[in-house]
Each structure stands twice: as structure tokens, then as C-alpha cells.
Amino acid sequence: MKRFIYMLAAFALMGAVSCQPDEEVAVHASFTTDKESYDVGDPVVLTNTSTAENALIAICKWELGKGVVSYETTPENISYDQAGEYVIKLTVTSDRGAKKSSFEKTIRVVDNNIRPVADFTWSPEKVVAGEPVQFTDRSTDEDGEVVAWEWKFGTTTSDKQNPEFTFAAQGATEVSLTVTDNKKGRNTKTVTIDVGRGAISLDLLWSYPYDDTKDAYVFGTSPAVSPDGEYVYVTSTGYSLVCFTKAGERLWAFDIGKDGASAENNSGSIKVQSPTPSVDEDGTVYALAGFNEPNKGAGGSAFYAVSGGAGGGSQVWHVNTGVNTSFRFLSPAVTEKYLFIVARNVPSGHQNFQVYDKSSGDLVDERHVNGGSYGGVLPLKNGMVIAGTGGSHGMRVFFPDGAGKWKFSCVKSNGREHNYGGSGKDATCEAPNGTQPASGPGGKVYILFQNQGVRADKSLGGGVVYCYDPAKTVYGQTPEPDWYCPVKGDCAQSGMGVALGEDGTVYAATQKTGSVAAHVTAISAQGGKSWEHAADGDINGVPAVDDQGFVYYNDRTTGKLVKLRPEDGSRVAEIKLADELRSSPTISYDGTIYVNGMKDDKPTVFAVKGAAEGCAASWSQQGGNPSKTSICTDPLKIRDERAASHDAAHFFRPSCMSFPVKFPLYYGTVAGTGTKRTSNTILNFSR
């Protein structure tokens, strides 16, 4: 633009004097520099000393080297960022007759400048899409100072020294910083940042309606994931065990009602039960089919061991457990040697707490559990086993007898049992109502009960979470809790329970009751309430925790998967999946979240991807339990500690913490064959 203006002015002057009488016209180009030699980046001061006789200088053309041209009368802010010799040439043109004159001079530029070193950091170190990242300049200059910054975030730029930037999308993104010092020395640092999925992101990867049986229903059954994360297993009241790849390919289905339980008995209610399966370390799937309709004379229940994976779907062994045996909200506890279950409505002569040899399905031991059972089983590393009961009987505690059997502690003189959840004073107990006990760091046991007012006033909440230390639980003595915490909401035979965060935080889910909303409550490892989150609808399940600490639950009423911040329980994200979600989310080792629910009147499995890269390391979410079963990201390479005494030392599964793994924390299925009693008859089954 300047050149254009100068040219216009020159032509105007030439035109103004073109009719003047001829005179002798002379122009002489000349200029001076303030020095003969310069350092790189030093300013070159030019002084135009050109003259003209009987004319005016109309055009000044400066050629400054390396193709740089200026038409200013005297260029300013001239410097060179590379060493060498530079020829500066000035050509002046008069306003009369276009007389020209040129003058040139050579200057020398030497490079004595030490270049700056570009460097920067960012926080947080783990970058996710949608979350702001603070970049901090750490550049240095040994012989001067950094005076300019040029940031590039992909295609976006910034000249701030310490910019804040939010990446819009996940993926590898280049970030570069170019700094310039006071002598125009430059240096650049470039890094590639792997931007993860944002916390607000919940995307449906795939879904699949997997059961066309008439009136098939999802009630308390959640997906189970293989230890390698490659396969997902689901069931429904249609008595079909279905295997999917993690990519959503349906591989096979196995009929777990073929030897007793029948889909003809399916009423679309909890009377027909095909709870969450459990997956063994070797890929074997243990599945249970139950029927909860007493005195019908039909609807026999069964346990199966089924080969898993791409080449699976075949029966390993089977055990008939008898007519109308109920397994509501149960998954079997799978240990290195044994399977543990509790049952309800068992046939005469058969007892509720049952232990099976995993390899054969043979019944190893059985004991009575008051009120039958609506809940689960928790084997501990010291050999103790915590078993769910029905009604207001608390959680029964079994001790190993050293001979491969388990015995209940004792009874008080008044005939009341020494269970977890009891008062220790009047021997009354809280009601577990289908919840599954959980174990965490340090071996502590956490249980959600329906609040019967044993220790906490019912006005403080319809549920109450207890923490027990098995190391303080002594055979023959009434156990006392380390702490208890009442929570809002109810716990009434809907498969509720707790999940554990890596910091020891206990997350309890309760259901809606009257005017009190369903809640997820965070409780510190010391028993103090951290926060409460009220659900929009209702909850029938257990929360799940990912490797970043975010908490998930299924809203039964709205059909949404909801994600909460661990700091305050605020809602981060949600995604509408189904018409109803009467189940729990399951988080796989790769962070994929699997959910079972009802959509368009069909049981459907959903795979959802968020920001998570895995499940909580302290208590993860695979196997038969949507809320915690196997705790290490590489379960195939981890080996458990062994108990120091008695035969029970052989029943513990690999773990990376001080508690057992590979047992479901919620619902489930079992398998077994060999010799079992049904009613008063001895039945033999082959493997």
C-alpha cells in the first residue's frame, strides 16, 4: 500500500511539472548506516542523504537483501536474523524526466546471539476434551530475554505468554511454542498431546435386543465382562445366556432353562429369575436359572457351567437345584476352588448357604440361613464368608472350620444370631433385603441395610450403611461395627448395594420411597457423609466407579445412565438408553460401560463410551457383579496372597488388594453338578 501511495505521489508531481521549461535535472542517491557491522537481531539505522537539483525526489526504492524491498523514504525497524553480508541498495527517481540514481552499501551481520530455549508445561497433565488446560511458558534466554511467544494448538494460535486452551475433540493434537528473544533469535518446541474423551461425553457405541421370548424382562440382571474384556454376557427372564464381543457382535446363546426352568413359566415378573452371570478367570461362565413361585410343582431351578468366548456356548456341567428354588439378586462368588451361593425357597432337606467344587459342581458344604436369602455372598481372605439372609436377620457370618467346611459363629442365649447388622444389645438386626456385601482396602466389609432403627433413627434415612472389620469379628462373640451411616431413600428387595472408590469412599444407592427421592450417597472411609445426590427417577441397582473416580448409576424410571463428579456428586453427563433400567452399570477394563434394560419391550444390552479408560482399581466392575468383582486391570497376571492356615487358603482368587476378587457384588448365577440333594433324594449328575 505504501508503495502504491508513493507511486501515485510521484506521478502527480511529474504531471505537475511536465509543462515547465527544460532545466538541467540531477539526482544523487546516497545513505549512511550507523555501523558497519551488526549482531544478529541488532537494529540497522539508515539515514537517507539523497539530493536533487531542479527537481524533487519522487520515488525511493530500497533493496534490503534477500528480496526485501521498501518504498519508504527511510525504512525503520530493519534487522537481520541470520549472519552474513547484506547489500543495501537505494534507487531514487526524480519528479522530472524520471531521472534515476542508485547507491549501494554492504554491511556485515555476525551471529553472537545465543538462541532462546523454548519450553512449556501444562495442567492438568491428563488432558480431556471440553476441559480447560493451562499452559505455562518455561522458556529461557541465556544472553537476553524472551520478548515474543507464538503458540499453535492445531490450527489455533495465541501470542500470550501463558494461555489457557480448551481442546474441542479427543485425539492426538500437536502443540508448539515458538519464542523470540530481544535479538530476534527464535526457537520452537513441539509436543503431541493425547486428548482424551471429555468428562461430559457419553456416547452410545452399540445396542442389541437379545431376547425375543414372550414377556422376557430385565429385572436385576446386568452385563458380565470376561477378565480380558473381550466378551460380554447377558441374561433375562427368558432363560437365555447370550455372548457378545466387545464390538457388539452376537456370538452365541445358551438355553439355561432347558433342564428345569422353562420359559413357559415366564410371567414377566421376579417370579422368573435369570440373574447376572459370573465369569471365571479361565473364561468359564456360571449361570443360574431360578423360579420364585412356591408350590407350583414346576419351574425347577438349575446351575450351569458354560464355556465362554468365541468358541464357547457349550455346557461344561449342570446341577438341578430343585423345584422353585429362588436366587433373587444373586451372583455366585467365584474363588480359586469354590463357588458360593445363597438361595431362597430351597426344597425340603436342602439348606440356603451352599458351597460347590468349581471343577466338578459337587456340593461341598451347606448351612442354614435364616429367612432364606435375597442377597449375595462375600468370601474373605481370612476364610470367613458373609452371606445374605432374608427378612430382618442381618448378614450371616460363617467361619472356616479348618476342614474345608464353614460354620456359623453361634447363637445368643435368647436364640438370636450374631450377625452383621445386629445391635449387640437387644439382638435385633437390620434387613439386608437383597443387597450384596462388599470388601475394600484393609479388608473392611461394607453392607447396605434397610434401616430397622437398630442404631440410627429411621427419620434419618430408610437405609443405613455398616462398616465391619473382619479382623475384629471373633467366633462366638457378637460383632460390633466400626461405623454406621444412615442414608436417604429405601432398600426394599430391589438389588441395591454399595460401590467403593480408590480413595476408600463408599457410594451407596437407595430407591425412592414416598416423598423421599432415590439417592446416591458418598460416605468417607471413616464413616462421614460427604455428599448426597437425588435421582430424577428411581434406582434399582448398584453404582459403578471408573478409573477417574466418576460415579455412574442407572435411573430406572427415566432410562438414563447418569454420571456424577466424585468431589460433590454433581451431575456431569447423562444419556438416554432405554425405557426402563432395572439393573446396574458394568464398567469393563477398557472403560466401556455396559448396561441392560428394556427398550421397545425387549431386553437390550447397551455399550457406552465415556472418558474412562478403565474401572476403579480398588474394586472394579466385571464378572457377575455390575458393581464390583475383579479389581485389577490385568487380572490374568496377578496372583493373590494365600491364607496362612486351614484348607480355606485355597479358595481365594487373584487380587491386587487385601480383599478377595472375582465374586459378584450384585445378583448373579451359579453352576454345579456332581452329587446334590433335591428334597430328600440323592441325585447324581455327570459333568
Side-chain angles (χ1 to χ4, degrees), residues 342 351-353 367-373 387-390 396 398 417:
V342 286
Q351 300 188 67
N352 313 87
F353 171 71
R367 292 287 186 272
H368 177 65
V369 176
N370 276 355
S373 177
T389 66
R396 197 156 191 174
F398 289 93
E417 300 179 345

Side-chain angles (χ1 to χ4, degrees), residues 103-114:
F103 176 80
E104 63 183 38
K105 181 177 182 180
T106 300
I107 63 170
R108 183 182 181 189
V109 179
V110 294
D111 190 356
N112 292 320
N113 180 34
I114 300 176

